Amino acid sequence: MQTLGNFKLPNFFNYPPYFTLQPVRDTREKQVQLWKELILDYCRTQKIFVIALDEEFPLFSNPVIESIAGSLNHEARQAFLSALVSEGRAEWMHKGHRKCLILWHRIQDWADSIVQFVKDNGLEDTVMTVEEIRSGVESRGTELHGIDRTILMRALKLLENKGKLVIFKGSSADDEGIKFSL
Amino acid sequence: MSTRCLPAAQLTGSGRPVFISGEVESSLISGVDIEPVDQNPNLSPLKSGILILTTHRLIWISDSSSAAISAFAIPLSAVIHIFSPKKSIKAMFASPRIRIQVLISPQNGFVDEKGSKSMVITIVVRGKTDPEAFLGKLSEAWRGRAWETLKVESSSSTSTDEGSSRSGLRTRSAVVGVAGILRKEQEMWESTDKSLQEAFQDLNALMNKAKEMVMLAEKMRQKLLSGPSTQGSGTNDEEIGSKQEMQDWMLSVGIASPVTKESAGALYHQQLSRQLADFVKIPLEKAGGMINLIDIYCVFNRARGTELISPEDLLQACSIWEKIDVPVMLRKFDSGVMVIQNKSYSDEEVLARIKTLVLKPDALRSGVSASDAAMTLGIAPALAKEHLLTAESKGLLCRDISPDGFRFYVNLFGEILAEDILLVKDYGTYGAWISAVLASR
């Protein structure tokens, strides 16, 4: 079976029509669905949070297929990502639709795992910085390690609105402090 | 109803008269009755039909909307007098009438050019056509005595069979090998060339010459057709081959009497439509039941020789098919491509053949292009593409756009489960596709 790094690719990845946006509605719906699953699976295993439309993305081209269709064109990329966005599994980061935030966990799920992480490590009523959550010793081995900053901030904001923590400006300009109050 | 004194005229499948060799249509009027002046047990009146005047005959065809089409002909050779129209107060209010005197056989009263008795037949023109003009053409055709030139020619080439008296239409045959045909053809082309040059001197002359040329082509065809039967022994394969080729070539050239605006007037499109329906049968058969409208336009105009029709005329003639009973139809694809197809033509059959095609291991692996499909289905690539697009829109195929253009693959998307994208069922097309791809590595 073909792989991309340690990611197992499905057989249909070598099916040339998979890389051409299908014009017939029923066929296209099915194609879009398969692309959504593949993008989410790949991003989850590879911990990818952002896909830029104009940049190389391993999943969007297949060197085995010789045609130009061996890589997705811009229209097709946009169509598949938009399908994810409309399901709430992705968000455009700019109005220009050039970069897309992939939410293989929804924001709510991320918030839940933050709460779980805090409880597991007995960090209730303590103060941490955002960077410490992303790359600190405590988060090593958890999903939160290396999380995209934008997604983390969104999840933290969600928890703040629920009164479970307070975000405040820290001493350094580019880092914020968090006071948990679970 | 008794019409036995008039010989029946043969019709084609779509209701056009079958012309005898050398016969050229010159005028057509509608809403015509034919009735005898005196009561005649052999001829009851024929009501409201189409009357076609040719160089040889007057052909009456019953109204096409009625169930059974019947047709009768009066050979002009039997006409001995055409009465000039009466000028009277009464005649001004009645429908215009044309009266002709024809010879009949004394024994049975049939119309016969060798008859010794005669009767007068009235042609009543109820349609909105100009009877004066028709009368003029009728007299012209009658005085032209086209049937006599034919007779003279046939008696000079072979001994005419005196027994067949009706119109002296026995096919002539005295062709000496292919060289003879070719030489004759050469001579004919030279004389045709001459007539062309003469013809261009003035338009009226051109119209007359056009008729001559159509007759010329028809005669050549007849000679070629009758050639092989008289050839006897001593023909080698090569001769037969070249003769066959020439026959094909000649056959594709001739519609002997094309329907023209001049001859058919208001009924032009309807008659053209019928003639076209007759004409497309053979090309359709060759093309497997469906043919591009543009191709038909070229072939049809080539066959018509000098009387070319415009694309609009062709389109109009095709659209009339819906209203009359012919075995062909016009079809428009979503892409705008228009084709002519047999009514019996079925998409399902083509879809089934496309499906077999895309399931072959090679096609599973690398898809099919329009030209691949054209070769397998035996049709033009443009049509093959239409069929592939139809199959795609039905979900049978899906496309891949490659540098060489579109390639179509069997649609596997339906078989793959989005819930488990790595799963492959043991049976089904997806499995077959995977093994075909693995086999190629």
Side-chain angles (χ1 to χ4, degrees):
Chain A
M1 190 168 284
Q2 205 177 345
T3 56
L4 208 59
N6 58 357
F7 181 72
K8 268 191 190 173
L9 286 166
N11 281 297
F12 59 78
F13 196 69
N14 290 328
Y15 180 52
Y18 188 60
F19 284 87
T20 297
L21 194 58
Q22 297 298 315
V24 179
R25 212 176 114 239
D26 288 355
T27 312
R28 184 197 283 222
E29 273 173 17
K30 195 75 206 199
Q31 182 193 20
V32 167
Q33 208 181 357
L34 293 177
W35 267 108
K36 284 192 304 203
E37 294 300 327
L38 188 66
I39 292 171
L40 287 180
D41 275 3
Y42 182 73
C43 291
R44 189 181 298 123
T45 53
Q46 307 298 308
K47 287 195 172 291
I48 292 169
F49 296 93
V50 176
I51 296 177
L53 250 65
D54 301 328
E55 286 166 28
E56 286 282 305
F57 187 63
L59 213 51
F60 286 166
S61 60
N62 183 356
V64 175
I65 301 175
E66 286 156 5
S67 62
I68 33 169
S71 82
L72 284 180
N73 64 21
H74 192 272
E75 186 198 0
R77 292 174 192 210
Q78 181 145 356
F80 301 144
L81 291 177
S82 295
L84 282 175
V85 170
S86 68
E87 269 189 14
R89 305 308 300 267
E91 275 172 28
W92 293 114
M93 296 172 78
H94 309 284
K95 276 189 184 149
H97 290 197
R98 276 211 210 87
K99 277 185 171 180
C100 193
L101 201 60
I102 306 296
L103 302 171
W104 29 275
H105 284 333
R106 291 165 198 275
I107 298 292
Q108 180 61 54
D109 298 337
W110 281 116
D112 290 348
S113 62
I114 291 170
V115 170
Q116 194 61 44
F117 160 77
V118 170
K119 281 182 180 163
D120 287 352
N121 291 280
L123 297 169
E124 300 97 332
D125 305 320
T126 53
V127 174
M128 281 185 91
T129 65
V130 172
E131 271 312 307
E132 272 177 323
I133 299 179
R134 290 186 67 224
S135 49
V137 189
E138 293 87 347
S139 70
R140 204 164 287 167
T142 69
E143 278 189 326
L144 293 176
H145 194 78
I147 187 178
D148 180 77
R149 197 181 163 87
T150 319
I151 293 177
L152 181 60
M153 287 313 293
R154 294 271 299 279
L156 292 172
K157 287 251 168 63
L158 187 75
L159 289 172
E160 186 180 37
N161 288 343
K162 289 184 180 172
K164 299 200 172 166
L165 52 81
V166 180
I167 303 173
F168 55 88
K169 280 262 177 259
S171 50
S172 65
D174 57 340
D175 203 3
E176 281 115 320
I178 298 152
K179 170 131 185 21
F180 295 107
S181 53
L182 287 168
Chain B
M1 163 166 138
S2 167
T3 49
R4 22 189 206 105
C5 79
L6 295 182
Q10 251 186 305
L11 291 181
T12 65
S14 59
R16 286 271 307 153
V18 175
F19 293 109
I20 48 190
S21 82
E23 186 174 18
V24 176
E25 185 176 341
S26 67
S27 186
L28 190 151
I29 51 175
S30 62
V32 175
D33 297 351
I34 291 183
E35 50 195 43
V37 166
D38 309 310
Q39 284 296 322
N40 185 331
N42 284 329
L43 179 64
S44 48
L46 300 167
K47 290 288 181 193
S48 70
I50 294 171
L51 189 69
I52 300 175
L53 170 69
T54 74
T55 49
H56 291 60
R57 294 180 292 173
L58 274 167
I59 305 167
W60 183 89
I61 304 172
S62 66
D63 194 358
S64 54
S65 57
S66 67
I69 299 181
S70 53
F72 303 96
I74 303 169
L76 291 183
S77 54
V79 176
I80 48 170
H81 185 64
I82 299 172
F83 294 93
S84 35
K86 279 188 238 168
K87 293 262 190 279
S88 69
I89 301 286
K90 196 183 156 204
M92 285 178 69
F93 295 102
S95 299
R97 279 152 205 269
I98 298 167
R99 291 187 303 139
I100 53 173
Q101 192 174 14
V102 294
L103 288 172
I104 53 171
S105 153
Q107 288 94 32
N108 50 17
F110 284 19
V111 173
D112 187 346
E113 57 176 305
K114 292 202 178 340
S116 53
K117 290 169 83 177
S118 71
M119 70 168 176
V120 178
I121 293 175
T122 309
I123 299 165
V124 186
V125 185
R126 299 196 193 283
K128 284 180 187 137
T129 33
D130 180 10
E132 295 285 325
F134 185 77
L135 184 64
K137 278 181 186 159
L138 174 61
S139 324
E140 194 184 303
W142 181 56
R143 279 191 220 105
R145 309 191 88 74
W147 58 93
E148 281 184 356
T149 33
L150 248 180
K151 248 186 180 172
V152 171
E153 266 175 33
S154 53
S155 56
S156 67
S157 58
T158 53
S159 59
T160 319
D161 184 1
E162 287 300 323
S164 72
S165 56
R166 182 150 291 163
S167 44
L169 286 168
R170 275 298 166 99
T171 45
R172 305 144 311 279
S173 49
V175 185
V176 190
V178 172
I181 300 173
L182 286 172
R183 199 172 49 242
K184 254 190 194 135
E185 191 202 5
Q186 177 71 30
E187 283 167 10
M188 274 185 211
W189 276 120
E190 275 165 12
S191 71
T192 310
D193 192 44
K194 222 160 119 199
S195 17
L196 249 178
Q197 282 178 357
E198 284 173 31
F200 271 115
Q201 286 168 3
D202 104 37
L203 264 176
N204 271 331
L206 175 67
M207 292 317 293
N208 291 333
K209 293 293 172 191
K211 276 178 199 159
E212 267 175 43
M213 276 187 272
V214 168
M215 274 165 72
L216 217 62
E218 177 66 8
K219 264 184 232 162
M220 269 163 77
R221 193 172 71 96
Q222 285 294 338
K223 278 187 183 154
L224 275 169
L225 283 178
S226 56
S229 58
T230 56
Q231 195 70 44
S233 58
T235 40
N236 55 34
D237 288 350
E238 198 187 327
E239 267 190 342
I240 291 172
S242 64
K243 184 168 278 182
Q244 183 63 44
E245 198 175 292
M246 204 143 85
Q247 258 183 30
D248 285 352
W249 181 70
M250 287 299 294
L251 278 175
S252 72
V253 170
I255 290 178
S257 180
V259 174
T260 63
K261 268 187 176 143
E262 195 201 18
S263 72
L267 292 164
Y268 174 64
H269 282 118
Q270 218 201 356
Q271 291 293 314
L272 183 68
S273 171
R274 287 171 186 277
Q275 185 172 61
L276 185 62
D278 286 334
F279 176 81
V280 296
K281 258 177 220 156
I282 294 165
L284 261 186
E285 217 167 272
K286 276 189 192 160
M290 186 184 276
I291 196 163
N292 212 325
L293 197 61
I294 298 163
D295 294 344
I296 278 292
Y297 179 71
C298 298
V299 180
F300 190 54
N301 260 343
R302 189 176 153 204
R304 287 174 66 95
T306 53
E307 301 284 358
L308 301 184
I309 61 166
S310 71
E312 282 76 21
D313 283 343
L314 181 79
L315 198 56
Q316 196 144 4
C318 290
S319 50
I320 292 176
W321 284 345
E322 281 175 25
K323 296 170 204 152
I324 58 178
D325 180 34
V326 289
V328 287
M329 59 182 274
L330 180 71
R331 175 175 177 188
K332 196 171 180 182
F333 282 103
D334 296 339
S335 61
V337 170
M338 284 190 277
V339 297
I340 290 172
Q341 68 174 38
N342 279 328
K343 274 183 180 162
S344 57
Y345 190 83
S346 89
D347 273 355
E348 275 66 37
E349 193 195 314
V350 175
L351 285 185
R353 287 173 70 186
I354 289 177
K355 191 164 185 182
T356 331
L357 175 64
V358 293
L359 287 177
K360 285 181 187 158
D362 276 349
L364 276 175
R365 198 161 52 238
S366 50
V368 292
S369 65
S371 47
D372 294 341
M375 268 189 269
T376 313
L377 301 173
I379 53 177
L383 273 189
K385 188 170 178 188
E386 293 302 327
H387 285 310
L388 289 173
L389 290 173
T390 310
E392 185 195 35
S393 69
K394 293 196 171 162
L396 178 66
L397 305 179
C398 45
R399 70 174 61 174
D400 168 40
I401 301 169
S402 73
D404 322 322
F406 284 21
R407 296 194 74 83
F408 289 88
Y409 291 76
V410 66
N411 188 351
L412 297 177
F413 288 119
E415 280 194 42
I416 305 165
L417 295 176
E419 295 76 37
D420 184 357
I421 54 176
L422 292 178
L423 179 78
V424 180
K425 289 182 204 150
D426 290 337
Y427 50 91
T429 320
Y430 189 28
W433 172 76
I434 291 171
S435 33
V437 170
L438 287 179
S440 72
R441 296 250 170 91

